[in-house]
Amino acid sequence: MSESTVCQAGVEQDAMVQNPDPLVLAFCCNWCAYTAADLAGTSRLQYPPFVRIVRFMCTGMIHPNLIIDALTKGADGVIVCGCHPGDCHYIEGNVRMKSRAEAIELMLEDFGLEPERFRLEWVGASEGVKFAHVMRDMTRQIQDLPPSPYRTD
Amino acid sequence: MGTDNAAKGNPIGAALVVGGGVGGMQAALDLAENGIMVYLVESRPSIGGVMPQLDKTFPTGDCSMCTLAPRLVEVGRHPNIELISYAEVKSFAGEPGKFKAIVRKKARYVDEKKCVGCGDCWGKCPQKKHGPPSEFDAGLVRRSAIYRPYPQAIPNIATLDRESCLYFQTGKCRICEKLCKAKAIDFDMKDEEITLDVGAAILAPGYEIFDARERQELGYGRFPNVVTALEFERFLSPSGPTGGEVVRPSDGEHPKKLAYIQCVGSRDEERNYCSSVCCMYATKGALVAKEHDPDLHATIFYIDIRAFGKSFGIYYERARRLGVRYVRCRPSSIKQVPGTKNLKIRYFAENGDILSEEFDMVVLSVGLRPPKDAGRLMEVFGVDSNEYGFCAVSVFSPVESSREGVFVCGTFSEPRDISETVTQASGAASKALGILSEARNTRLPAPREIPPELDVKGAAPRVGVFVCHCGTNIAGVVNVPEVVEYAQGLSDVVHAENFAYACSNDAMEAIKSSIQEHGLNRVVVASCTPRTHENLFRKTLPERGLNPFLFEMANIRDQCSWVHKEEPLLATRKAKDLVRMAVAKARLLEPLERQSIEVTGNALVIGGGVSGMAASLAIAAQGFDVHLVEKEPLLGGNFRRVSSLLGADDPRSKLKDMVEKVHRNDRISVYTGSFVSSLDGFVGNFKSTITGPNGQRELSHGAVVVATGAVEHSPKQYLYGESGLVATQLELEAILEDEQRVRGLKSVVMIQCVGSRTKDRPYCSRMCCAVAVKNALRIKEISPVTEVFVLYQDMRTYGFKEAYYKKAREKGVIFLRYEQEEEPSVVVGNGALSVSMRDLVLDMPVSIPADLLVLSAAIDPRPESKAVMEMLKLPIAPDGFFLEAHLKMRPVDFAVDGVFVCGLAHLPKLAQSCIAQAEAVGARVGAILSRKRIALDANISQVVDENCDGCAFCVDTCPFKAIHVLEYKFKGGIKKTVETNEAVCKGCGNCQATCPKKGIYVKGFTMDQLNAVIEAALVRETADVQTRATL
Ligand code: FES
């Protein structure tokens, strides 16, 4: 088996998943996560084609409303990826994001959304492998949930 | 040698660069960015060198053309670079600072000013199928007589090759002349001589590959299915004659069993050097070929695998894991099997057995040799060549030729890879700047006129979308025409088209004309990553009056086609989504302006080893002040322990000279016994605190150089630390100075790769093989009767170090190989050591008595570097060394502007490479410090006074303390608001994410723009998921 087929196995092949065609938004900071996403590409690491990356300069730039809006307008999941603690290009944007994440988790309940629909991960600039892995994992997690109640399609 | 007293007064602020490959281009750009006028002379019709011919580059697998294309465009359009292609330097005279060069431009029979590169001529040239072998396609196909070497060629014009032109040969044809609408063909054109006044010259003519016909027994030229590695690259490349299909020349079949044969034209009697790059390019070729066809079996026949560069070890291991087979031997002959035209390779196995094996196709890893023209060139420039015919340089002056004011870089002085060539090019530029710095900005052309900026405020968006095929990188997975069609239907999109390579000059021109033709006021390019290409496109927009920030990219390669290779349908859907998202943002983009601030014109160098000192000297030579901080009481670093060197005498006195030069230089302030206790800021304006014996000092500086070095690993095995008879190579250096003791030794055993190439340290420490050979030779010199054994996995004496390896064998040093999985073992008894291992030739265990065991211990990143890393937020590679901005193209830069790396902090390497890197840093730093002002990022925060009520939530949130509360009188009351400091704001957007009232935003990332992107992402196109193969 070639390396790409091994990775391909990460794409959910099981038709039994609740949501076979989900939409996951990945909010990535430019310096670590987005770089790692590019690195996953140069290394040809495969992950499921249901993720759409939105580039931010820093996770500290992500207003909680953007996440809540995305989830209440039909995204099946949102994952925020930033630099590891201590590595944020702007010192502590990721720390701020972390505290916002706690508030977001509380709000999800009010909107009747499962906590699994939102996730925060640290992915360093050289962690292409981790990026691909996290994307596979998140996709799987979302596929195991029913489609978002806010979906209109 | 040396440029210390060069150029007394009034040098000419221009330089000559000979050779337009990746090295020459880098040198030209570095000089041009430093305000020097550059004449770049290239003998071929276009620049680019060999890189455009390669498919991918090791060890990242980046597409070679994609990496190079932005550079090509940059060189082509740089106002301070004059490209003189299809030309040769005829004479060169004068003295440093004032040279005169005479250049002969060959007649290309095409008027450079008129030709637009449309291709009408070469498309119809009757010689199309009968012309000479195409240089670009390594002779696999023929080209027309009038031609453009390759689609992205710079200059993008035609050249008529007289030798194969029907008109010139028979007097009849001139079809091209009739077809050319630009009236650019001129059959009467004559060679032309031009005289150039320059202050310095850099030689970067590159290399030539070994002519495999000279190794007759390998059958190249006789057997069609034996090809050179360069030909194989063309088979792999989507721009090649087969469109990226690997086929056997004899029958067009896909090979199933492929063999690479290493060291063809290297490491032999006539060429007693290693070409340094072939092991890696073969590994890459085998990997890529397997990517094309997973069932392909690839075997590499090799002597030693020399995977010594950054991330090479991991790459090599990966190839082995993915099934590339490595067989250690030197094939003795190749025979063609009649009928099938398969090839039978006969070789000696390590244990002496004669084996033979059949393959469908054989690739010869041809070595590098000096270009044909090298001898003439060296004569014209009056520089010395070395015994191998390459340009002579020395350990301590790796980019200086024997003639003052003439510098060299890249493979002209020794075979080397792309990243080292680029490093050396910057190093050569740096040395040239040492002569030319005072003449900066004296010879530059008048600034190019750019049209006034169009006012797009209030105008309805008119978006143009340009989708890149990136050869097959994107188009091989994503249905590009479908994406284009889709884009045409998006709101406000008035034009969409596709390009083979969006970053090529052609495409840039097409984008520019589209702006005009379709009245575009927003541009979207769907291609690779904005991290590498955004700037290139942005620079294009102003040429047609558009603000550069009216541009957005959709990353449909790195984040789509490359990661969804098996899912063409879903990848196409995703590409459409990404384009839709980019268009949504583009519609809301506003023109932005970049503010500028003053640059503090000096540098901080952290680390006073050889690299730090060389960097300091290179920067100071350009007239800038340097603060050099060293934590030890003395300068010199690890090098203080080195007692001998390969290819240079007396390192001690060389080091002493260097230290003295540093101390004597009044531009360099040295802080020994000190460390950097705080450091922050940004390009042009850093602030640091140096803590030392005399307390603390605050410094401000415009750039930072990280030269923090590395340490020799302290082995945990082989009785190190337990027995006094076991030492490391660095400790041996001291022992070797006690000749009496050396003479008393009966047997010395060295073990290589102690701690290197392991699970924890997958990298090769690179210098140990050369050091072991050096020390072994030294022992033999002092005491010929002492037996010396070197136990190794692969001897990595790359480049010219190979000759010393050979010499060591001749002098009786015994080299014994061990397998990675079967490390030797050591026992001590009766005051003597005994080293046991399995002899792979005899295939039996042997034990060697030793009265000294020397361990070639791994080189580790220095733990103290961590503090620097944290203060500047610098990235670290998985191996623990600092990670540069780009392995190939930006080898000494960090992604963080204004910060640079050199020496062992970057990767273990020998002194010569450290110095070249340190000098490279000099040119990079110079380009910043020589500016009075530097432009700030445009993407910074902006307060919306109407919305801000002065709640000040953002004030504490701002990590840079860039926001202040402000009160002013307004309508009889007091209005509270905030204000931002533009020079301090970095645009992180923490303020925007904290503000409850949309009172502050980051330009280019406003809430409206981000919302639009997200909403666009949420539009779901009809899911074609049912058609998905894997569901
Ligand atoms: S820059 Fe990556 S999280 Fe701040």
Side-chain angles (χ1 to χ4, degrees):
Chain A
M1 219 181 333
S2 78
E3 194 164 65
S4 63
T5 10
V6 176
C7 298
Q8 201 57 28
V11 177
E12 191 41 63
Q13 302 208 5
D14 180 359
M16 298 304 287
V17 295
Q18 296 210 48
N19 184 1
D21 186 22
L23 178 69
V24 179
L25 296 187
F27 292 177
C28 293
C29 84
N30 180 61
W31 300 94
C32 285
Y34 195 91
T35 309
D38 284 344
L39 184 60
T42 22
S43 328
R44 309 296 192 277
L45 303 167
Q46 305 293 297
Y47 57 85
F50 306 115
V51 182
R52 304 288 177 269
I53 294 175
V54 182
R55 175 169 161 247
F56 291 81
M57 290 316 284
C58 172
T59 56
M61 181 186 255
I62 306 171
H63 199 292
N65 287 357
L66 294 173
I67 296 169
I68 295 295
D69 279 3
L71 288 169
T72 55
K73 285 181 183 163
D76 292 299
V78 172
I79 179 165
V80 172
C81 299
C83 312
H84 285 279
D87 288 355
C88 170
H89 190 70
Y90 308 100
I91 308 173
E92 49 190 21
N94 48 4
V95 180
R96 305 246 187 262
M97 180 61 224
K98 177 120 177 79
S99 51
R100 279 178 212 137
E102 285 152 24
I104 289 165
E105 278 154 19
L106 290 175
M107 283 157 84
L108 291 180
E109 228 184 297
D110 300 344
F111 287 103
L113 290 169
E114 299 85 340
E116 293 87 352
R117 292 198 188 272
F118 170 69
R119 184 161 156 188
L120 175 63
E121 283 281 351
W122 308 136
V123 186
S126 62
E127 296 179 328
V129 174
K130 176 166 181 191
F131 185 86
H133 172 80
V134 166
M135 290 305 127
R136 280 196 288 272
D137 199 59
M138 177 69 180
T139 307
R140 173 72 209 223
Q141 179 175 323
I142 296 300
Q143 284 181 319
D144 281 343
L145 297 174
S148 161
Y150 293 96
R151 254 171 91 158
T152 50
D153 62 304
Chain B
M1 233 184 288
T3 51
D4 292 348
N5 7 313
K8 293 143 216 112
N10 289 333
I12 297 166
L16 176 68
V17 176
V18 181
V22 65
M25 285 164 61
Q26 180 67 41
L29 282 171
D30 276 322
L31 289 168
E33 285 294 304
N34 273 286
I36 301 298
M37 181 64 204
V38 180
Y39 302 102
L40 178 57
V41 176
E42 164 63 52
S43 59
R44 278 163 289 194
S46 64
I47 57 167
V50 184
M51 256 186 99
Q53 293 176 272
L54 307 180
D55 176 37
K56 307 247 156 49
T57 55
F58 59 79
T60 53
D62 275 341
C63 140
S64 184
M65 194 60 226
C66 310
T67 326
L68 189 72
R71 287 287 160 93
L72 283 170
V73 175
E74 232 185 303
V75 172
R77 64 160 70 164
H78 203 295
N80 304 349
I81 300 177
E82 186 180 326
L83 204 63
I84 307 172
S85 60
Y86 215 40
E88 246 162 31
V89 181
K90 286 286 156 208
S91 76
F92 187 80
E95 56 184 281
K98 287 189 186 64
F99 289 111
K100 215 176 245 327
I102 296 178
V103 175
R104 151 110 33 88
K105 267 183 77 114
K106 285 176 269 182
R108 66 183 345 139
Y109 306 104
V110 173
D111 187 331
E112 290 183 25
K113 295 208 179 63
K114 289 185 185 157
C115 177
V116 293
C118 68
D120 284 349
C121 55
W122 63 75
K124 293 274 159 50
C125 174
Q127 289 288 68
K128 210 168 165 192
K129 299 243 155 52
H130 325 282
S134 151
E135 294 85 353
F136 180 64
D137 278 320
L140 292 176
V141 288
R142 294 182 178 275
R143 63 155 167 81
S144 41
I146 189 161
Y147 70 112
R148 172 178 66 176
Y150 59 102
Q152 297 80 13
I154 301 280
N156 177 25
I157 53 172
T159 299
L160 193 151
D161 163 6
R162 192 185 169 115
E163 307 312 289
S164 51
C165 170
L166 276 185
Y167 169 69
F168 277 114
Q169 299 314 314
T170 67
K172 282 210 189 63
C173 184
R174 299 180 80 129
I175 289 181
C176 47
E177 191 182 33
K178 287 175 212 107
L179 289 171
C180 180
K181 293 182 202 75
K183 305 252 168 293
I185 314 284
D186 173 5
F187 285 102
D188 301 322
M189 196 178 259
K190 297 267 168 318
D191 288 5
E192 191 191 336
E193 267 187 10
I194 40 183
T195 307
L196 302 170
D197 292 313
V198 295
I202 294 177
L203 306 181
Y207 65 92
E208 199 174 276
I209 58 170
F210 172 73
D211 181 358
R213 283 180 192 85
E214 292 180 30
R215 289 276 306 273
Q216 281 216 1
E217 72 283 13
L218 298 178
Y220 179 74
R222 292 185 289 137
F223 308 147
N225 295 330
V226 177
V227 300
T228 67
L230 193 61
E231 289 167 349
F232 196 67
E233 289 282 343
R234 299 311 299 148
F235 279 124
L236 291 173
S237 169
S239 72
T242 56
E245 250 188 87
V246 178
V247 296
R248 301 189 342 142
S250 70
D251 53 11
E253 289 293 315
H254 294 221
K256 289 288 166 210
K257 263 191 98 186
L258 179 78
Y260 261 96
I261 296 178
Q262 298 306 104
C263 301
V264 176
S266 311
R267 302 183 68 180
D268 57 21
E269 278 307 315
E270 293 99 294
R271 286 154 297 265
N272 188 14
Y273 60 85
C274 158
S275 292
S276 296
V277 294
C278 326
C279 284
M280 291 311 290
Y281 78 53
T283 297
K284 171 199 73 180
L287 265 178
V288 178
K290 276 183 80 69
E291 237 170 64
H292 287 217
D293 176 3
D295 297 331
L296 175 112
H297 291 277
T299 303
I300 298 180
F301 292 98
Y302 71 103
I303 310 176
D304 294 281
I305 283 296
R306 296 187 166 167
F308 53 81
K310 193 146 182 164
S311 301
F312 290 7
I314 299 172
Y315 193 69
Y316 167 50
E317 288 304 329
R318 172 157 170 256
R320 293 178 70 134
R321 219 178 45 242
L322 292 180
V324 176
R325 175 173 156 236
Y326 288 83
V327 175
R328 189 184 295 265
C329 72
R330 191 161 200 159
S332 55
S333 72
I334 297 183
K335 296 245 153 36
Q336 181 167 277
V337 180
T340 61
K341 299 230 161 54
N342 281 353
L343 303 149
K344 233 189 199 126
I345 299 185
R346 241 168 68 100
Y347 63 95
F348 290 94
E350 218 170 2
N351 62 8
D353 290 354
I354 299 178
L355 300 174
S356 102
E357 196 175 335
E358 201 170 309
F359 292 88
D360 310 339
M361 190 166 178
V362 172
V363 185
L364 305 181
S365 290
V366 281
L368 276 49
R369 50 155 79 162
K372 267 196 200 74
D373 203 24
R376 187 196 65 88
L377 203 61
M378 287 191 255
E379 211 177 291
V380 167
F381 281 89
V383 301
D384 294 345
S385 83
N386 67 16
E387 59 200 291
Y388 312 103
F390 289 84
C391 187
V393 293
S394 75
V395 173
F396 283 85
S397 312
V399 296
E400 291 168 58
S401 76
S402 56
R403 179 167 183 186
E404 212 179 329
V406 179
F407 306 95
V408 292
C409 65
T411 49
F412 193 44
S413 57
E414 189 171 350
R416 59 183 98 246
D417 70 1
I418 296 167
S419 62
E420 279 192 47
T421 296
V422 172
T423 302
Q424 283 213 323
S426 293
S430 173
K431 288 312 248 181
L433 285 167
I435 298 178
L436 306 178
S437 62
E438 60 181 282
R440 277 188 164 105
N441 306 322
T442 55
R443 289 261 171 166
L444 305 184
R448 197 184 287 170
E449 273 198 45
I450 51 162
E453 200 170 294
L454 298 168
D455 186 8
V456 305
K457 280 225 177 74
R462 294 179 64 80
V463 186
V465 178
F466 303 91
V467 188
C468 180
H469 286 237
C470 197
T472 55
N473 281 298
I474 294 170
V477 178
V478 169
N479 184 333
V480 173
E482 208 180 301
V483 177
V484 171
E485 200 189 304
Y486 176 79
Q488 267 152 355
L490 293 169
S491 35
D492 293 335
V493 172
V494 296
H495 175 73
E497 68 178 294
N498 46 329
F499 297 125
Y501 293 97
C503 55
S504 67
N505 222 38
D506 282 12
M508 294 292 176
E509 290 304 319
I511 293 176
K512 283 195 277 184
S513 25
S514 281
I515 294 176
Q516 233 158 3
E517 196 180 316
H518 303 282
L520 305 181
N521 57 18
R522 304 287 189 287
V523 173
V524 169
V525 171
S527 58
C528 48
T529 170
R531 290 175 41 255
T532 54
H533 281 59
E534 189 172 58
N535 250 330
L536 181 74
F537 292 111
R538 277 193 173 155
K539 281 189 190 158
T540 308
L541 268 49
E543 294 180 30
R544 287 296 177 276
L546 276 191
N547 179 280
F549 295 92
L550 300 171
F551 173 78
E552 187 64 22
M553 268 180 105
N555 188 337
I556 62 167
R557 188 188 71 179
D558 305 42
Q559 297 180 0
C560 186
S561 65
W562 276 354
V563 290
H564 310 309
K565 287 199 300 190
E566 325 280 327
E567 305 271 359
L569 291 173
L570 290 177
T572 303
R573 178 179 76 170
K574 177 169 170 179
K576 290 181 193 167
D577 290 353
L578 295 175
V579 167
R580 186 175 64 241
M581 290 158 70
V583 169
K585 185 166 180 192
R587 294 171 62 210
L588 300 178
L589 290 174
E590 294 289 337
L592 300 179
E593 249 183 79
R594 300 178 71 172
Q595 306 291 333
S596 70
I597 43 148
E598 265 181 53
V599 171
T600 314
N602 57 19
L604 172 72
V605 177
I606 311 173
V610 165
S611 306
M613 287 193 290
S616 302
L617 289 168
I619 298 167
Q622 298 174 50
F624 306 112
D625 288 337
V626 180
H627 300 285
L628 173 59
V629 180
E630 165 59 45
K631 68 176 181 25
E632 299 293 328
L634 292 173
L635 292 175
N638 288 317
F639 205 77
R640 292 181 44 230
R641 295 171 66 185
V642 175
S643 60
S644 68
L645 274 186
L646 288 182
D649 338 303
D650 199 6
R652 288 268 153 80
S653 74
K654 281 276 182 347
L655 181 67
K656 207 169 133 240
D657 284 356
M658 199 171 188
V659 171
E660 261 167 33
K661 251 193 226 168
V662 169
H663 282 299
R664 257 190 289 118
N665 194 315
D666 32 277
R667 291 211 171 272
I668 306 178
S669 322
V670 180
Y671 307 81
T672 44
S674 306
F675 66 98
V676 179
S677 50
S678 82
L679 175 53
D680 63 9
F682 48 94
V683 56
N685 290 269
F686 290 97
K687 293 211 160 25
S688 59
T689 312
I690 311 300
T691 306
N694 310 322
Q696 295 200 325
R697 246 193 96 166
E698 310 286 321
L699 301 174
S700 33
H701 36 90
V704 178
V705 179
V706 179
T708 47
V711 286
E712 190 183 56
H713 154 70
S714 171
K716 306 268 173 305
Q717 61 218 108
Y718 302 124
L719 303 178
Y720 181 76
E722 291 167 41
S723 162
L725 304 180
V726 185
T728 63
Q729 290 286 2
L730 254 187
E731 288 160 355
L732 175 63
E733 299 274 343
I735 297 174
L736 291 177
E737 284 182 290
D738 180 356
E739 299 200 350
Q740 203 55 39
R741 172 157 179 208
V742 175
R743 267 186 226 105
L745 295 170
K746 277 205 277 306
S747 159
V748 179
V749 175
M750 299 183 183
I751 302 181
Q752 299 302 102
C753 300
V754 177
S756 302
R757 302 179 63 181
T758 60
K759 227 167 151 261
D760 304 342
R761 265 186 229 86
Y763 57 90
C764 161
S765 294
R766 185 166 185 168
M767 55 171 90
C768 337
C769 282
V771 169
V773 164
K774 173 197 83 170
N775 287 342
L777 277 170
R778 184 99 188 279
I779 294 170
K780 282 287 184 191
E781 201 175 286
I782 299 169
S783 164
V785 294
T786 304
E787 288 201 277
V788 184
F789 300 87
V790 179
L791 316 189
Y792 71 101
Q793 297 181 31
D794 290 284
M795 278 313 284
R796 293 184 168 170
T797 41
Y798 56 93
F800 301 148
K801 285 164 272 298
E802 180 68 15
Y804 297 99
Y805 175 31
K806 186 165 179 230
K807 187 169 163 199
R809 279 173 293 164
E810 283 163 4
K811 292 266 182 259
V813 178
I814 295 168
F815 290 83
L816 295 169
R817 199 172 71 78
Y818 70 88
E819 293 279 7
Q820 203 168 353
E821 305 75 38
E822 295 183 309
E823 287 185 351
S825 60
V826 181
V827 288
V828 65
N830 294 336
L833 297 167
S834 165
V835 184
S836 312
M837 65 175 290
R838 191 167 70 87
D839 185 309
L840 295 167
V841 177
L842 305 175
D843 197 11
M844 56 185 281
V846 290
S847 58
I848 310 159
D851 34 22
L852 180 64
L853 174 64
V854 183
L855 306 180
S856 291
I859 311 296
D860 273 336
R862 194 176 278 284
E864 301 93 301
S865 296
K866 208 151 188 264
V868 179
M869 173 210 112
E870 277 164 8
M871 286 187 280
L872 286 169
K873 305 279 166 237
L874 301 174
I876 298 281
D879 53 24
F881 292 93
F882 284 106
L883 182 64
E884 59 273 43
H886 191 281
L887 279 179
K888 292 280 179 210
M889 304 305 277
R890 293 179 64 194
V892 298
D893 299 12
F894 277 114
V896 183
D897 286 342
V899 188
F900 303 90
V901 64
C902 60
L904 304 186
H906 162 264
L907 188 80
K909 57 177 80 68
L910 292 163
Q912 189 172 24
S913 305
C914 286
I915 293 171
Q917 249 191 338
E919 289 172 348
V921 162
R924 309 294 296 161
V925 168
I928 294 173
L929 302 189
S930 61
R931 299 215 161 129
K932 296 234 156 36
R933 304 186 71 83
I934 207 157
L936 293 173
D937 237 331
N939 302 99
I940 54 173
S941 62
Q942 171 82 43
V943 180
V944 188
D945 199 19
E946 308 89 86
N947 296 352
C948 176
D949 65 0
C951 75
F953 280 175
C954 55
V955 173
D956 287 339
T957 309
C958 175
F960 305 102
K961 311 262 165 291
I963 311 179
H964 304 278
V965 185
L966 194 75
E967 293 183 355
Y968 63 93
K969 282 218 180 77
F970 182 70
K971 289 190 183 164
I974 301 267
K975 163 95 167 72
K976 278 176 96 182
T977 189
V978 295
E979 186 186 47
T980 60
N981 179 344
E982 290 180 337
V984 180
C985 175
K986 291 193 175 46
C988 69
N990 275 289
C991 48
Q992 160 172 323
T994 315
C995 181
K997 305 175 193 76
K998 288 196 175 180
I1000 191 162
Y1001 65 86
V1002 175
K1003 296 173 192 168
F1005 288 91
T1006 69
M1007 286 292 277
D1008 290 345
Q1009 291 164 351
L1010 294 169
N1011 263 319
V1013 175
I1014 293 167
E1015 277 183 24
L1018 296 176
V1019 176
R1020 286 172 197 248
E1021 289 303 315
T1022 25
D1024 27 19
V1025 69
Q1026 281 78 9
T1027 53
R1028 193 174 160 218
T1030 52
L1031 266 174

